[in-house]
């Protein structure tokens, strides 16, 4: 069916002129008065808008906005902002300059507004900083530093090319060979003069952080220890004004750690190996991350004196879905809290380092006075749900493994970690988590398995050095023996009397603590 338009002539009040067929000519067109009114109004408005430009140019700007001045490009706008200073804002309304390097006593802590600086003094990691107009070159996996406008190319920057593999285990050579190498260099004179090849496809109003999703980050311990805790150390002072540029980007990494990425950055992640566009960062770039030790934050090394508790608070904000309103607790609820049983969470492993008498251990915890939760591992649950389960525990217990990294989810000043260290793993277990608990203000207890609690006693004779003296068995054998026999080759069956003593000690500690608000 043909569609028709409504006859708007009547509604608009327009009288059209037509011939009357009498041969007497045409009648003059009659325009209504309001048409004349709008015509005069248009003339007056044009006069009001354009006359000040010629009569009083200072009036053309209102509230700092010049209506006749062309709007600057994003690249120019960010560069101008960097010159003025960006950041949290200083005293008397003067904003602080953007600081890329938050490390105390770093050789790169006082960079010029245009330059490249690398700090290679740390045993575990290298980190480089680029201040100025940084642009990506996907073909060579390079970041190019372009000179400031109206400056002589490379006048203030050395011509040396820096190369860096952005991962925090640089001492482990066989691993680092598999980490992509990134090149940092000043733009060559011909590139700086004619930037057509490196014309910006995307301009970002925040600096870049270049890191990798490779290495050992498929393991939860290494994902936090090698990647996200170092990333937080490096950029938390930027308050999410940073763009993650990720090597070896993959969907699993993006999905598993999406809350952490979103908590650190307000911007979309760039998959630098597959995104062939030229990305421009007028605010600069950071390549690599800082490292303070195993699950460690040293407040003396950061300008803002951050601690591992601050990192816990970051995780709490990232993973907590509900925000509770603080207020006065009703007396009835106070009584319920005071009468509550401390919560014990037990990690249930699969495959290796399994607690073979797990059900009996859970019953033991109940008899001691705990509310016991069995926390399944490797079940594909999102980390947000893991946080919700672990953060309510007064005591978290489990055999040494990556899942104990979730001690970072425990409540500082209240919770306790009870680590079960299998035969031959005691020093490694303590080295991974004891110091972190101290920094987190979480009480640490270690239960060292003895020979008759280890499944190795069923494979080796009682006087075999593997079970009789694990430290001597490991001498000169390297990591392969530790991994094959003591980590991947044993389960445990806990002595209920001895393990019960540890549970009772931590139960009494939990009851001594004041009721949590």
């Amino acid at each position: 069916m043909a569609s028709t338009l409504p006859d708007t002539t009547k509604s608009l009040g327009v009288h059209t002129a037509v011939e009357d067929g009498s041969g007497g000519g045409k009648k003059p067109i009659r325009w209504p008065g309001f048409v004349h009114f709008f015509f005069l109004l248009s003339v007056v408005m044009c006069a009001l808008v354009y006359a000040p430009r010629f009569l009083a140019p200072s009036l053309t700007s209102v509230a700092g906005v010049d209506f006749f001045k062309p709007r600057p490009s994003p690249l120019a706008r960010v560069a101008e902002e960097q010159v003025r200073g960006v950041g949290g804002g200083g005293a008397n309304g003067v904003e602080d300059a953007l600081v890329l390097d938050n490390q105390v006593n770093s050789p790169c802590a006082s960079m010029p507004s245009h330059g490249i600086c690398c700090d290679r003094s740390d045993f575990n990691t290298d980190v480089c900083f680029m201040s100025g107009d940084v642009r990506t070159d996907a073909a060579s996996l390079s970041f190019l530093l372009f000179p400031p406008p109206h400056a002589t190319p490379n006048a203030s920057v050395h011509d040396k090319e820096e190369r860096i593999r952005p991962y925090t285990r640089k001492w482990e050579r066989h691993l680092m060979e598999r980490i992509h190498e990134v090149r940092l260099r000043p733009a060559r004179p011909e590139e700086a003069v004619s930037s057509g090849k490196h014309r910006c496809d995307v301009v970002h109003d925040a600096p870049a952080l270049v890191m990798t999703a490779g290495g050992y980050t498929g393991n939860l311990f290494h994902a936090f220890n090698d990647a996200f805790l170092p990333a937080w150390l490096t950029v938390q002072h930027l308050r999410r004004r940073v763009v993650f540029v990720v090597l070896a980007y993959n969907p699993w990494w993006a999905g598993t750690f999406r809350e952490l990425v979103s908590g650190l950055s307000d911007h979309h992640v760039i998959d630098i190996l597959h995104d062939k566009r030229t990305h421009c960062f007028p605010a600069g770039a950071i390549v690599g991350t800082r490292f303070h030790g195993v699950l460690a934050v040293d407040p003396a090394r950061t300008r803002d004196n951050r601690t591992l508790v601050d990192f816990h608070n970051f995780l709490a904000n990232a993973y907590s879905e509900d925000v509770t309103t603080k207020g006065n607790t009703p007396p009835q609820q106070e009584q319920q809290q005071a009468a509550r049983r401390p919560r014990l969470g037990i990690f249930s492993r699969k495959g290796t380092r399994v607690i073979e008498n797990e059900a009996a251990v859970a019953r033991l915890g109940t008899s001691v006075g705990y509310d016991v939760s069995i926390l399944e591992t490797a079940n594909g649950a999102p980390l947000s749900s893991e946080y919700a389960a672990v953060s309510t525990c007064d005591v978290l217990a489990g055999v040494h493994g990556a899942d104990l990294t979730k001690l970072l989810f425990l409540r500082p000043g209240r919770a306790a970690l009870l680590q079960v260290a299998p035969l031959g793993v005691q020093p490694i277990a303590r080295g991974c988590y004891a110091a972190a608990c101290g920094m987190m203000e979480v009480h640490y207890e270690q239960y060292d398995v003895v020979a008759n609690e280890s499944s190795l006693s069923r494979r080796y004779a009682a006087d075999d050095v593997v079970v009789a003296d694990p430290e001597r068995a490991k001498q000169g054998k390297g990591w392969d023996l530790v991994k094959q026999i003591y980590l991947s080759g044993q389960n445990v069956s806990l002595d209920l009397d001895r393990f019960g003593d540890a549970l009772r000690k931590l139960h009494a500690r939990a009851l001594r603590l004041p009721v949590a608000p």
Side-chain angles (χ1 to χ4, degrees):
M1 180 174 65
S3 61
T4 60
L5 295 175
D7 184 358
T8 59
T9 58
K10 294 181 180 179
S11 62
L12 292 176
V14 177
H15 299 272
T16 58
V18 295
E19 295 186 15
D20 64 1
S22 62
K26 297 181 180 179
K27 296 181 181 180
I29 298 175
R30 300 174 57 194
W31 297 95
F34 76 86
V35 174
H36 296 282
F37 170 75
F38 279 116
F39 174 76
L40 292 174
L41 180 62
S42 299
V43 174
V44 173
M45 291 299 296
C46 289
L48 290 175
V49 171
Y50 286 98
R53 177 172 178 84
F54 304 101
L55 300 177
S58 62
L59 297 178
T60 62
S61 178
V62 179
V65 179
D66 191 339
F67 295 104
F68 297 97
K69 182 178 179 181
R71 186 177 181 181
S73 66
L75 187 64
R77 187 168 63 253
V78 176
E80 180 183 357
E81 194 176 60
Q82 188 178 15
V83 171
R84 291 200 317 268
V86 295
N92 302 320
V94 179
E95 291 187 323
D96 300 325
L98 178 66
V99 175
L100 294 179
D101 188 2
N102 194 42
Q103 183 93 346
V104 172
N105 298 325
S106 164
C108 302
S110 299
M111 286 187 66
S113 59
H114 178 73
I116 301 175
C117 178
C118 291
D119 184 356
R120 303 184 186 273
S121 61
D122 193 278
F123 177 76
N124 295 281
T125 186
D126 293 332
V127 58
C128 295
F129 302 88
M130 303 180 74
S131 178
D133 179 4
V134 178
R135 306 184 187 187
T136 61
D137 181 68
S140 62
L141 197 53
S142 298
F143 287 74
L144 310 184
L145 180 63
F146 279 72
H150 313 299
T152 303
N154 296 327
S156 59
V157 183
H158 60 79
D159 293 330
K160 178 184 176 183
E161 177 183 83
E162 299 284 358
R163 298 191 178 194
I164 177 173
R165 299 180 188 270
Y167 193 57
T168 55
R169 297 176 76 87
K170 74 176 186 181
W171 49 271
E172 198 167 342
R173 292 185 179 179
H174 76 279
L175 171 66
M176 294 300 289
E177 290 174 354
R178 303 199 297 269
I179 303 298
H180 293 89
E181 184 178 68
V182 179
R183 301 179 178 185
L184 320 175
R185 64 172 176 84
R188 291 186 286 268
E190 63 272 18
E191 294 173 318
V193 172
S194 177
S195 59
K197 180 181 177 182
H198 300 289
R199 182 177 291 114
C200 300
D201 296 317
V202 185
V203 179
H204 301 274
D205 63 354
L209 173 67
V210 184
M211 60 181 292
T212 183
Y216 295 139
T217 57
N219 173 283
L220 187 69
F221 170 81
H222 291 286
F224 278 87
N225 184 69
D226 303 355
F228 283 103
L229 178 53
W232 177 83
L233 280 172
T234 308
V235 302
Q236 55 82 23
H237 66 288
L238 297 176
R239 298 184 179 93
R240 300 173 70 180
R241 187 187 167 186
V242 64
V243 181
F244 274 54
V245 180
V246 179
L247 301 160
Y249 178 90
N250 61 84
W252 175 88
W253 182 91
T256 301
F257 304 112
R258 61 182 178 84
E259 296 95 343
L260 301 186
V261 175
S262 298
L264 289 170
S265 171
D266 282 331
H267 302 264
H268 292 294
V269 175
I270 298 174
D271 178 2
I272 192 63
L273 296 184
H274 297 97
D275 190 336
K276 302 304 180 184
R277 295 174 296 176
T278 298
H279 290 266
C280 296
F281 301 92
I286 306 169
V287 186
T289 52
R290 293 294 186 185
F291 187 82
H292 288 184
V294 177
L295 295 180
V297 176
D298 183 354
R301 295 175 65 181
T302 61
R303 296 188 184 194
D304 43 8
N305 303 114
R306 294 298 184 182
T307 68
L308 195 59
V309 173
D310 291 311
F311 183 64
H312 162 82
N313 293 337
F314 159 73
L315 297 177
N317 290 331
Y319 288 131
S320 296
E321 296 180 353
D322 299 323
V323 179
T324 57
T325 303
K326 293 184 178 181
N328 295 327
T329 304
Q332 182 179 1
Q333 186 174 345
E334 288 183 351
Q335 294 176 1
Q336 293 174 351
Q337 290 178 339
R340 75 177 182 89
R341 293 157 61 91
R343 183 176 296 278
L344 169 66
I346 302 174
F347 278 128
S348 178
R349 290 180 57 89
K350 300 176 179 66
T352 63
R353 280 166 280 153
V354 172
I355 300 177
E356 295 178 333
N357 59 340
E358 180 183 282
V361 170
R363 290 193 297 270
L364 172 64
T366 300
S367 68
V368 169
Y370 290 99
D371 283 337
V372 179
S373 297
I374 301 297
L375 306 176
E376 298 291 338
T377 62
N379 59 358
L383 283 174
S384 57
S385 66
E386 298 282 344
Y387 176 87
V390 171
S391 62
T392 62
C393 292
D394 298 284
V395 178
L396 181 65
V399 181
H400 173 73
D403 284 293
L404 294 189
T405 308
K406 295 168 190 171
L407 71 90
L408 297 168
F409 301 168
L410 293 171
R411 291 169 295 173
R414 299 194 60 82
L417 177 69
L418 175 55
Q419 178 173 207
V420 176
L423 198 66
V425 185
Q426 285 88 344
I428 298 171
R430 189 174 298 276
C432 285
Y433 299 121
C437 283
M439 296 179 192
M440 266 279 292
E441 301 174 22
V442 167
H443 183 79
Y444 179 78
E445 288 285 337
Q446 182 164 311
Y447 181 89
D448 291 337
V449 167
V450 296
N452 63 359
E453 293 176 292
S454 170
S455 63
L456 293 175
S457 63
R458 300 196 294 265
R459 294 172 50 195
Y460 296 90
D463 59 350
D464 192 296
V465 67
V466 169
V467 293
D469 193 350
E471 294 306 308
R472 186 159 65 91
K474 292 185 291 184
Q475 289 178 2
K477 299 297 183 5
W479 177 253
D480 288 341
L481 181 138
V482 174
K483 181 179 180 181
Q484 180 180 354
I485 294 180
Y486 294 111
L487 288 176
S488 300
Q490 71 169 313
N491 294 326
V492 298
S493 183
L494 303 181
D495 183 314
L496 297 182
D497 290 335
R498 199 161 68 92
F499 194 70
D501 291 340
L503 291 180
R504 281 184 283 272
K505 174 182 176 181
L506 295 177
H507 183 270
R509 174 186 177 275
L511 292 181
R512 288 196 300 270
L513 293 173
V515 177

